[in-house]
């Protein structure tokens, strides 16, 4: 039996990536999961205090690996978004993320790409990819 209403409706797991500004880490993570999972996983991202736009250096770093996140916009974190997710990955949003029973929560300790140059953002991007590959393996084997 599916664990959430989202899985029931779509037949696939749903992942929500959350960071403060929804402009760097969570956008890169959503880009990686969308790229690697295709249609097998529903992917969303949000922030507790969304920025005006996605970090241009994060966009550039993802473009280098063939993933285009230029059309993405930072979105506000809502309780509904968390409730709709099967897995909620937080990346430095602290206590701003509501906790609901029955959800899988992970907190990924990642450097913040805000204010960093491309040389500093590339290792963050690559770390996120490794974490996404492990998450995807867990999701598709479940």
């Amino acid at each position: 039996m599916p664990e959430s209403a989202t899985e029931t409706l779509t037949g696939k797991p749903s992942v929500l990536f959350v960071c403060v500004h929804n402009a760097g880490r969570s956008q890169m993570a959503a880009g990686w999961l969308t790229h690697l999972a295709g249609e097998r996983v529903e992917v969303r991202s949000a922030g507790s205090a969304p920025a005006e736009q996605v970090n241009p250096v994060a966009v550039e770093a993802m473009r280098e690996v063939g993933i285009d996140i230029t059309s993405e916009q930072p979105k506000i974190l809502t309780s509904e978004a968390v409730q709709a997710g099967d897995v909620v990955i937080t990346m430095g949003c602290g206590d701003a993320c509501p906790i609901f029973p029955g959800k899988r929560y992970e907190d990924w300790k990642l450097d913040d790409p805000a204010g960093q140059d491309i040389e500093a953002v590339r290792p963050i991007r690559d770390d996120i990819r490794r974490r996404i590959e492990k998450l995807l393996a867990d999701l598709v084997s479940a």
Side-chain angles (χ1 to χ4, degrees), residues 17-33 44-62 67 69 72-75 91-92 108 110-116 121-122 124-126 128-129 132:
F17 295 101
V18 181
C19 67
V20 175
H21 300 297
N22 189 220
R25 295 167 288 193
S26 57
Q27 292 287 353
M28 288 191 291
W32 273 123
L33 186 55
R44 284 190 236 104
S45 69
S48 53
E52 292 289 318
Q53 66 180 24
V54 175
N55 180 336
V57 181
V59 171
E60 180 183 348
M62 294 302 285
I67 300 172
I69 61 170
E72 298 302 323
Q73 290 294 314
K75 295 165 278 310
M91 304 169 172
W108 291 359
L110 296 162
D111 291 335
D112 189 346
Q116 304 286 342
V121 174
R122 285 180 185 129
I124 299 168
R125 173 200 65 202
D126 297 343
I128 291 171
R129 180 185 180 140
I132 293 295

Side-chain angles (χ1 to χ4, degrees), residues 1-89:
M1 180 170 181
E3 293 183 4
S4 76
T6 301
E7 193 172 44
T8 301
L9 295 174
T10 65
K12 57 187 171 183
S14 175
V15 178
L16 173 66
F17 295 101
V18 181
C19 67
V20 175
H21 300 297
N22 189 220
R25 295 167 288 193
S26 57
Q27 292 287 353
M28 288 191 291
W32 273 123
L33 186 55
T34 299
H35 176 75
L36 295 171
E39 297 294 318
R40 296 179 291 171
V41 178
E42 185 177 320
V43 181
R44 284 190 236 104
S45 69
S48 53
E52 292 289 318
Q53 66 180 24
V54 175
N55 180 336
V57 181
V59 171
E60 180 183 348
M62 294 302 285
R63 184 180 298 123
E64 288 180 350
V65 293
I67 300 172
D68 183 5
I69 61 170
T70 56
S71 65
E72 298 302 323
Q73 290 294 314
K75 295 165 278 310
I76 186 74
L77 175 65
T78 64
S79 293
E80 293 79 18
V82 176
Q83 284 182 303
D86 297 306
V87 180
V88 179
I89 309 285

